[in-house]
Amino acid sequence: MKNLIVLFAFLFYSVLISAQASQDPEFTKGFILLGKLSNGFTSGFKSSTPDLYLGGIGLNPQITVAENVLRVGANAGMTYNNKKLSGLFGPMLALKIKTLDTKYMGSYANIHLLAEANWGTAKQQMAGGGLAVELFKKIHLGITAQRDYHFNTWWFQSFIGVSLSKSKESDD
Amino acid sequence: MKRALVISGGGSKGAFSVGVIKDLVQTYHLKFDVLVGTSTGALITPLAALGMIDKLEELYTTVDNNQIIKKYNFGQRVIDGKVSIFSFEPLKSIISKTYNDAFFNNLMMSDRDLYITTVCLQTQKLVVFTNAKNPVMSNYYQVQKFVNADQFRAAVLASASQPVFTPPVKVNESVAGDAHKDYQFVDGGVREYAGVAIAADTDVSEIFTVLHSARKFKPAANQFTDIFSVLQQTIDMFITDVSENDLLLPFQYNAALKYIQSVKNNMKDLGVSEADINKYFTLSDLTNRFQNRPPLKIHVIQPENPLGGGPGGLDFNPTEMMDMLANGRLALQSYVAQLPPDSVDWA
């Protein structure tokens, strides 16, 4: 865990330095609200628990706290797993690691790392992370893996998110 | 002898023009009575008109992309229905600081006539903004006088605004009583890359034109394999083509003036009196552009090889721009070196 924190801090620092060197249109100042649809499975690996389908919907507000680098936010959603519906809530971080751009015409996407912790109404206690692509500042596609420390299971999900907030960037 | 300076468009490539102007003014001590600027030329010519060469050099060797345009997520701009890929907020700030109200007042009191070319998106006409007290008139373009400092700054910004890349500008928004305040204006280079024809319409005898397209064309060695590279190459072709077209008409006009002058000389050699020659060549049509007009000296200074600076000069790299400026000075020296002896009185 300590190594993970050091790695995250190192990534944050190096991305912050590179972002400050040039104009970056990704992870700009402001607030976004994502509507998310996720799909995946839970697995206990060596335990006797079978792999089970996992699906969910949720909202994910995020605010940029370090321009071009870091957003913090929260997850709030409903999830279906093991024939039960439960609510999931928790904080999250998004660390931009790469801006995908055209040489002269601005960017079109970014790749970012996710770190999140969630608590569920069915006593889930989870932490994990993932990798996501934000395309045209509208569509988010990603995969996440979270460990449920209470039930000793892993949650593997892919998700698609759509930005529901309106851009406030000016025209001129 | 009255002289005109014409600076074409080309974004960061304007540093080449600054190198040329620097030597024309500081080495050859030339003064320009008429200045015509298009796009980056519209940013350069007001400072050149007031002799602020050091300020020009500072601007064109230090600014970078972040000080000119604001970049966005390209897809977001399209999806959100924005009017351009970039915005101009940083450049607007430079223009406001450089061309402040005091500058505008000095420009309006100056005896130099400045013409800034724009194109109106609504009328599709070439619209030329000027401080000239008695501006030139033409059927090919419309002329509007500067009314206030805000309009002047908006005209400079509009002239530099490459459509699609940067937003159109409502130049006359600040003009009280204007019937078309909402009309949007963009880069004059859309219709007139280098305003040589406008300079030729004034009463100057010598025109210095600085182009930013390369004299020597070298085929691209690479393949264009995606939308962006094809678009970038198309912009460069567009600029080069407009440049060649723009020069064609003034050169043909000047060739006609030279022809008329030769005919007059022949008539004189054959014993026709000066008064009779003038009678033959004087018509009642006072608007005739060939009447009583001696041939013009038109100098075209341009780089031998491509300057760089990205498509349309949209890449502002201070190191590269310093090289362009030095390149401009060298290009002028080469041009002067090949001038026939006694063909000009300043070199």
Side-chain angles (χ1 to χ4, degrees), chain A residues 22-23 25-26 102-109 136-138 167 169-172, chain B residues 66 69-77 80 82 85-86 89 167 228 231-232 311:
Chain A
S22 63
Q23 199 181 85
E26 300 296 319
T102 59
K103 192 171 179 188
Y104 298 112
M105 295 179 202
S107 64
Y108 57 91
F136 303 152
K137 291 195 168 184
K138 295 289 172 199
S167 163
E169 289 175 317
S170 70
D171 279 338
D172 50 21
Chain B
N66 296 348
I69 50 172
K70 186 174 176 190
K71 287 185 178 176
Y72 296 92
N73 183 298
F74 175 74
Q76 182 198 24
R77 298 287 285 180
D80 287 351
K82 298 292 183 187
I85 297 171
F86 309 124
E89 283 162 65
F228 295 113
L231 180 59
Q232 286 160 14

Side-chain angles (χ1 to χ4, degrees), chain B residues 2 29 31 62 81 102 199 208 244 261 282 286 317 344:
Chain B
K2 282 194 166 185
H29 307 291
K31 285 184 179 175
T62 56
F208 293 79
E244 286 167 4
Q261 186 66 50
T282 302
L286 294 174
N317 177 336
V344 293

Side-chain angles (χ1 to χ4, degrees), chain B residues 3 98 110 148 160 203 331:
Chain B
R3 295 189 174 96
T98 310
S110 158
N148 60 47
D203 59 351

Side-chain angles (χ1 to χ4, degrees), chain B residues 8-58:
Chain B
S8 61
S12 61
K13 298 174 210 270
F16 176 86
S17 283
V18 175
V20 174
I21 295 168
K22 186 175 175 172
D23 272 10
L24 285 174
V25 173
Q26 294 181 347
T27 306
Y28 298 106
H29 307 291
L30 292 180
K31 285 184 179 175
F32 299 100
D33 306 279
V34 172
L35 298 98
V36 185
T38 299
S39 196
T40 201
L43 294 165
I44 293 170
T45 44
L47 283 168
L50 296 192
M52 297 168 71
I53 309 302
D54 292 342
K55 181 70 182 170
L56 260 182
E57 185 170 359
E58 180 203 321

Side-chain angles (χ1 to χ4, degrees), chain B residues 11-283:
Chain B
S12 61
K13 298 174 210 270
F16 176 86
S17 283
V18 175
V20 174
I21 295 168
K22 186 175 175 172
D23 272 10
L24 285 174
V25 173
Q26 294 181 347
T27 306
Y28 298 106
H29 307 291
L30 292 180
K31 285 184 179 175
F32 299 100
D33 306 279
V34 172
L35 298 98
V36 185
T38 299
S39 196
T40 201
L43 294 165
I44 293 170
T45 44
L47 283 168
L50 296 192
M52 297 168 71
I53 309 302
D54 292 342
K55 181 70 182 170
L56 260 182
E57 185 170 359
E58 180 203 321
L59 280 175
Y60 273 84
T61 52
T62 56
V63 294
D64 59 22
N65 286 331
N66 296 348
Q67 292 165 282
I68 299 292
I69 50 172
K70 186 174 176 190
K71 287 185 178 176
Y72 296 92
N73 183 298
F74 175 74
Q76 182 198 24
R77 298 287 285 180
V78 175
I79 293 168
D80 287 351
K82 298 292 183 187
V83 77
S84 60
I85 297 171
F86 309 124
S87 73
F88 248 164
E89 283 162 65
L91 179 62
K92 244 177 157 173
S93 165
I94 290 179
I95 288 175
S96 296
K97 278 183 203 154
T98 310
Y99 300 133
N100 54 28
D101 291 359
F103 182 96
F104 175 72
N105 292 334
N106 288 338
L107 184 68
M108 293 304 283
M109 285 189 290
S110 158
D111 57 356
R112 314 287 171 84
D113 289 352
L114 173 71
Y115 292 88
I116 286 174
T117 70
T118 67
V119 168
C120 176
L121 286 181
Q122 277 70 26
T123 62
Q124 299 182 20
K125 295 269 187 197
L126 179 67
V127 182
V128 185
F129 290 88
T130 184
N131 68 335
K133 287 165 189 73
N134 298 300
V136 290
M137 294 293 166
S138 165
N139 292 330
Y140 179 59
Y141 49 85
Q142 294 177 345
V143 178
Q144 283 192 26
K145 286 189 182 183
F146 295 135
V147 174
N148 60 47
D150 285 335
Q151 185 215 26
F152 160 63
R153 286 186 284 264
V156 171
L157 189 68
S159 186
S161 177
Q162 292 183 13
V164 179
F165 289 94
T166 46
V169 180
K170 293 176 186 172
V171 175
N172 291 324
E173 199 170 27
S174 64
V175 178
D178 190 278
H180 302 292
K181 286 186 179 193
D182 289 338
Y183 276 11
Q184 299 160 290
F185 294 82
V186 295
D187 190 345
V190 170
R191 293 288 301 267
E192 190 83 1
Y193 169 73
V196 193
I198 297 168
D201 285 344
T202 66
D203 59 351
V204 298
S205 312
E206 193 168 18
I207 299 173
F208 293 79
T209 301
V210 189
L211 304 180
H212 300 125
S213 51
R215 199 183 299 272
K216 286 180 188 164
F217 177 74
K218 195 177 163 191
N222 59 304
Q223 289 282 306
F224 301 99
T225 53
D226 59 68
I227 289 171
F228 295 113
S229 62
V230 171
L231 180 59
Q232 286 160 14
Q233 183 67 358
T234 306
I235 292 164
D236 265 358
M237 279 163 51
F238 172 71
I239 284 176
T240 309
D241 178 57
V242 175
S243 153
E244 286 167 4
N245 287 340
D246 279 351
L247 289 178
L248 194 64
L249 194 62
F251 275 121
Q252 282 183 343
Y253 170 63
N254 206 32
L257 290 177
K258 283 178 182 168
Y259 173 71
I260 292 168
Q261 186 66 50
S262 302
V263 172
K264 282 182 178 178
N265 290 342
N266 285 346
M267 290 171 80
K268 204 173 173 182
D269 291 346
L270 291 170
V272 183
S273 72
E274 189 92 33
D276 282 346
I277 293 172
N278 284 339
K279 264 187 201 170
Y280 288 130
F281 283 92
T282 302
L283 307 173

